[in-house]
Amino acid sequence: MQSAPSGSNIRLSPAHTWQSRVLRVTLLTSAGVALLIGLGRVLAAGHALFPAGEKGMVFAALTGIIVAHLVALGRDRWWGTSGSGSALTLTILLLYGWVPAVLVSLAVVTLVGTARLERCPQAALQGAIDLLGVGAAALTLAVGGARPSVENPWEPADWQLTTLPQLLVAALAYLLVSRTLLWLCVAPPGGIPSPAAGALLSHGLVAVALLCIAPLMVVVAVHKPVVLPLFAVPLIALDCTLWMARARAEEQLLDPLTGMPNRQWLMERTRAALQEARLRGEGRCALILIGLDSFRAVNDTLGHLTGDRLLLQVADRIRREVRGDGSATPRGGALPPGAVAARLGGDEFAVLLPRVDSATSAQRAARALVASLGAPLDLEGLTLVVEASAGVAVHPDHAAEAEDLLRRADVAMYAAKRDRTGVEVYESRRDVNTPDRLALLGDLRHALDNGEVDLHYQPKVRFDGAVAGLEALVRWEHPDRGRVPPDEFITIAETSGLMPRLTEYVLEEALGQVARWRRAGLTVPVAVNVSPRDVFAPGFAGAVAARLARHGVPAGSLQLEITEHVMLEDPQQAADTLSGLASHGVRMSLDDFGTGYSSLVHLRRLPVSELKIDRSFVEGLAVDSEDAEIVRCTVELAHSLGLVVVAEGVEDDETWERLRDLGCDAVQGWLVAAAMPAGETTAWLLARGSGPDTPAVTRDVPDVDAADAADAVPRPVPPASRKVVGTSAPAATSSAEAPDASPRQPVR
């Protein structure tokens, strides 16, 4: 059992439940009734309450020394039992009975409680517990026939060989009852932290040592009472040993830099909160994990000492939002009562909300915390603005156990960091470490090894009907699950390290198919999506060039589609890799334009020849004037930079017409054709006469070899219609019905 040092917000006892309050009232009432009955019987019989003369003075002096020792400790975590006061209490119990022993115990509790008024309620409770412990020991003595009193003390001369077990049983009864009752009053429902649990053994050994001294003190009190105060030295020494053991246990629960509770304490307190929530039936609790977005940059630029000062200020701000006593600050208002905070290590902090109404209220609390950390910080004259991201996980919605709740809050936090949204609530679809997703990852790896992943191809068509190219899209038919949505298994590959393997597979299959088409006289270029992880892989450009040479495919027949996210992590490395690809003659297309962190700087630095407008802008083009204006500006910008513009997600005639009027170069979508297997794509191309004389949709792209570009162009389709509608996807099919109209992913 631990209690918090001053300035810390460690509290093992939760907010008092009605059961805890009933227990406390019952203990105080029972102790009061027992004390009144005992005093009444003693006074009615005319017995003295405390020994007089030399022995009484010696016991009073020893009591005063012990009280002074406890007050001098200067700590607000005094228990009132199983210490030096307990040894003195048991000594008087053995010699003079339970009434004088209770009076000594109450004297110690009262005097120490008076010295620290803020601890009076705890002192009263501990006094009641000690009284009941003394009563239990007195009952064990009475069962053995020993009923000592001031007038008839139980002196060592009356002890026999059978007395030793009786003394031990009385001491253990006192210790067991007082410890158990104190445990029930102050321990959290989930138990105590493991360091404190380990310290209980040393506490128990010290307590037994103190109580075993009691019979020796009885002998000295009877034969040489004048030397009894000398026992204060071993009593205080053992008492200090007890305090040091507790202090070491507490240190294991504190973060040494900020003084906040650490991960171990948080997990124990979270387990207690989950148990409380289960007892409430439909109760919810939430865990908020907070991480600083640019802490590493502060450490690297300003040094670790400044980084430590930053963490201290962040910890202070979290404390202001979450008080040390576990209650929300009056000014905050967003945090529910009972919230507690901890530092997990590095730049990560956590806030536990033992009671929340819903995930929405927990998310609101997380936003309040993130907002409080976003205010400027003053570090010795240097003003810093450090942004934070937070992840929220709620019990029982997201996890049933404390460890799972923390891990899922961590998943949500990294999603917030990655998407720069500030706060995210856990979503299972983003978590690749669930058992189901881990199994799916293993199945995907097996499917890649055995060639069970297929490529479908979706055409890109000019407004005169000419085929501008194909986009390779990944499709996986799971033997048990059926078709797995691309966004699901691609996300798993992206976050698990399997992405490079998947990209290699797609490139190998796509280039093999391009080579077969070229042998059949079809020279349409094919686009393959690559992820930022692929771009940052060492030697990626050289590997692509080697694969092109192995298949005998000109570089101009391959186009790599990238997203703007490749420029966010390491712009220089991304630019170097893409320039290397362009130098080999590989074309680049900027995919999903407008959905990321688009900027002219990125467009200027990326050696791209094509820009694809995301379907989210195209779908509302015919009815939303803002989308139309965005598309118009994008087309003009791209054309000013010499880029071809392709619109994705074209599904109706009106959108086709608007895109043509706005100057778009080519379109892609269900109105043109659905993604088709290689065989159907071959038939589709042959039906439209794609051959070596088809002109390509190009603008000035100096990085592509002219011979390769001419070799890669498709043959024009006779302008019998303004558009080409694939036979496998009728124009009337809506996007909601289309299995391939899934959210865009880095590799498809």
Side-chain angles (χ1 to χ4, degrees):
M1 288 171 291
Q2 303 293 319
S3 119
S6 179
S8 159
N9 68 343
I10 291 183
R11 292 188 69 211
L12 295 192
S13 54
H16 296 160
T17 61
W18 67 269
Q19 297 98 329
S20 176
R21 288 193 291 270
V22 168
L23 176 61
R24 290 165 182 261
V25 171
T26 301
L27 290 177
L28 291 171
T29 303
S30 302
V33 170
L35 180 61
L36 291 176
I37 293 176
L39 290 176
R41 293 182 61 183
V42 171
L43 293 176
H47 296 308
L49 298 177
F50 199 77
E54 182 183 20
K55 293 180 181 178
M57 293 178 61
V58 169
F59 276 116
L62 187 55
T63 301
I65 294 173
I66 291 174
V67 169
H69 154 64
L70 294 175
V71 172
L73 284 175
R75 301 171 185 258
D76 61 351
R77 45 190 177 177
W78 171 69
W79 289 359
T81 52
S82 72
S84 53
S86 301
L88 178 60
T89 299
L90 187 58
T91 299
I92 298 178
L93 168 67
L94 296 177
L95 189 57
Y96 298 118
W98 78 277
V99 173
V102 166
L103 293 178
V104 169
S105 175
L106 292 179
V108 174
V109 169
T110 302
L111 292 174
V112 177
T114 302
R116 292 191 296 275
L117 294 177
E118 73 279 3
R119 307 296 290 179
C120 282
Q122 181 180 350
L125 178 65
Q126 290 169 340
I129 291 173
D130 209 35
L131 188 153
L132 296 175
V134 170
L139 286 176
T140 61
L141 291 177
V143 170
R147 295 181 174 82
S149 64
V150 174
E151 285 75 15
N152 298 297
W154 192 33
E155 297 186 352
D158 301 326
W159 296 354
Q160 300 175 2
L161 186 61
T162 57
T163 302
L164 181 59
Q166 191 175 358
L167 295 175
L168 292 176
V169 170
L172 291 176
Y174 170 67
L175 180 63
L176 183 62
V177 170
S178 61
R179 291 297 86 207
T180 301
L181 293 178
L182 188 60
W183 168 256
L184 292 175
C185 287
V186 304
I192 58 174
S194 51
L200 281 180
L201 178 60
S202 59
H203 293 172
L205 292 176
V206 173
V208 170
L210 286 166
L211 297 178
C212 288
I213 292 177
L216 302 180
M217 295 175 64
V218 171
V219 175
V220 174
V222 170
H223 296 286
K224 289 292 181 180
V226 69
V227 300
L228 189 62
L230 296 179
F231 274 96
V233 176
L235 290 179
I236 291 174
L238 287 172
D239 222 6
C240 290
T241 302
L242 180 70
W243 283 112
M244 286 187 289
R246 293 178 57 198
R248 284 194 298 269
E250 282 184 351
E251 288 173 359
Q252 296 182 55
L253 303 174
L254 289 175
D255 172 58
L257 176 63
T258 63
M260 298 178 73
N262 60 15
R263 179 187 295 267
Q264 192 168 13
W265 179 89
L266 177 72
M267 296 312 298
E268 299 289 351
R269 186 64 190 91
T270 302
R271 294 187 188 98
L274 297 185
Q275 184 171 337
E276 289 181 74
R278 295 187 191 103
L279 294 175
R280 294 196 306 268
E282 297 183 357
R284 282 182 170 84
C285 61
L287 193 61
I288 301 173
L289 196 61
I290 304 169
L292 305 183
D293 292 343
S294 55
F295 180 68
R296 178 178 296 179
V298 173
N299 263 349
D300 294 343
T301 305
L302 303 177
H304 291 277
L305 183 59
T306 302
D308 288 346
R309 295 192 184 114
L310 172 63
L311 292 174
L312 287 171
Q313 291 203 29
V314 169
D316 288 340
R317 288 191 176 182
I318 293 177
R319 284 193 185 100
R320 286 199 295 269
E321 292 295 319
V322 183
R323 278 187 176 177
D325 59 2
S327 61
T329 58
R331 71 173 184 85
L335 299 185
V340 292
R343 182 191 176 210
L344 305 187
D347 63 337
E348 291 188 357
F349 296 82
V351 174
L352 173 66
L353 308 179
R355 291 173 179 262
V356 292
D357 297 328
S358 63
T360 302
S361 60
Q363 186 179 27
R364 190 182 307 116
R367 292 195 184 281
L369 288 165
V370 169
S372 70
L373 298 179
L377 292 167
D378 184 11
L379 294 177
E380 297 181 353
L382 179 64
T383 301
L384 294 178
V385 177
V386 179
E387 296 181 349
S389 299
V392 179
V394 179
H395 166 84
D397 302 357
H398 304 141
E401 302 299 332
E403 290 77 7
D404 293 335
L405 198 67
L406 179 62
R407 188 186 63 79
R408 288 170 182 176
D410 186 66
V411 170
M413 183 191 72
Y414 278 98
K417 282 180 176 287
R418 182 180 62 249
D419 299 338
R420 298 190 177 183
T421 55
V423 175
E424 288 288 343
V425 178
Y426 173 79
E427 295 180 10
S428 58
R429 64 181 180 85
R430 297 188 177 192
D431 188 357
V432 299
N433 293 321
T434 61
D436 182 67
R437 297 215 166 195
L438 289 175
L440 195 63
L441 174 63
D443 293 342
L444 177 59
R445 194 184 304 274
H446 180 271
L448 292 174
D449 292 339
N450 292 276
E452 297 171 359
V453 176
D454 299 322
L455 292 189
H456 288 197
Y457 299 88
Q458 188 172 34
K460 296 184 285 187
V461 177
R462 289 171 45 177
F463 288 93
D464 61 0
V467 179
L470 301 170
E471 180 180 0
L473 303 174
V474 182
R475 296 295 181 262
W476 178 26
E477 194 75 23
H478 192 279
D480 300 322
R481 302 170 185 250
R483 172 165 289 192
V484 182
D487 59 332
E488 183 175 350
F489 70 83
I490 290 173
T491 300
I492 293 175
E494 181 72 41
T495 55
S496 66
L498 191 60
M499 198 68 209
R501 174 75 179 89
L502 179 58
T503 301
E504 291 175 3
Y505 182 92
V506 173
L507 282 171
E508 190 69 23
E509 292 294 312
L511 291 177
Q513 184 59 55
V514 170
R516 288 189 289 274
W517 279 333
R518 288 178 61 80
R519 289 193 293 270
L522 299 174
T523 55
V524 61
V526 172
V528 173
N529 292 263
V530 294
S531 74
R533 180 170 296 188
D534 300 318
V535 174
F536 294 128
F540 178 69
V544 172
R547 188 168 275 109
L548 285 166
R550 186 169 66 252
H551 286 281
V553 174
S557 295
L558 175 65
Q559 185 178 56
L560 298 182
E561 294 192 4
I562 60 173
T563 65
E564 300 151 287
H565 292 282
V566 300
M567 300 300 292
L568 296 180
E569 183 175 339
D570 191 338
Q572 187 58 52
Q573 183 179 352
D576 292 344
T577 300
L578 298 179
S579 296
L581 288 166
S583 67
H584 289 296
V586 177
R587 298 172 182 248
M588 249 76 66
S589 174
L590 188 62
D591 196 12
D592 297 341
F593 184 79
T595 61
Y597 300 92
S598 310
S599 71
L600 291 175
V601 174
H602 292 173
L603 288 177
R604 289 176 58 194
R605 297 188 65 180
L606 293 175
V608 298
S609 59
E610 179 183 278
L611 185 149
K612 300 184 75 173
I613 302 176
D614 186 69
R615 67 174 59 242
S616 61
F617 299 108
V618 175
E619 289 171 349
L621 180 64
V623 295
D624 192 323
S625 59
E626 292 185 358
D627 283 350
E629 184 63 19
I630 290 173
V631 172
R632 184 189 65 81
C633 294
T634 302
V635 170
E636 292 180 357
L637 172 63
H639 286 172
S640 69
L641 296 173
L643 305 180
V644 172
V645 181
V646 178
E648 301 177 294
V650 179
E651 299 177 358
D652 56 73
D653 291 341
E654 188 174 1
T655 302
W656 170 285
E657 300 288 354
R658 293 298 303 275
L659 287 168
R660 184 183 60 181
D661 295 341
L662 290 172
C664 188
D665 297 302
V667 295
Q668 180 180 358
W670 276 75
L671 185 65
V672 175
M676 301 169 283
E680 293 183 23
T681 304
T682 302
W684 190 93
L685 292 172
L686 291 173
R688 282 145 188 83
S690 297
D693 300 324
T694 306
V697 181
T698 62
R699 292 183 181 268
D700 295 333
V701 186
D703 291 322
V704 179
D705 183 76
D708 285 341
D711 190 40
V713 297
R715 177 180 301 168
V717 176
S721 171
R722 69 173 184 273
K723 57 186 179 293
V724 180
V725 181
T727 57
S728 62
T733 305
S734 67
S735 61
E737 300 169 332
D740 293 317
S742 57
R744 305 305 300 268
Q745 297 294 330
V747 174
R748 287 155 290 186

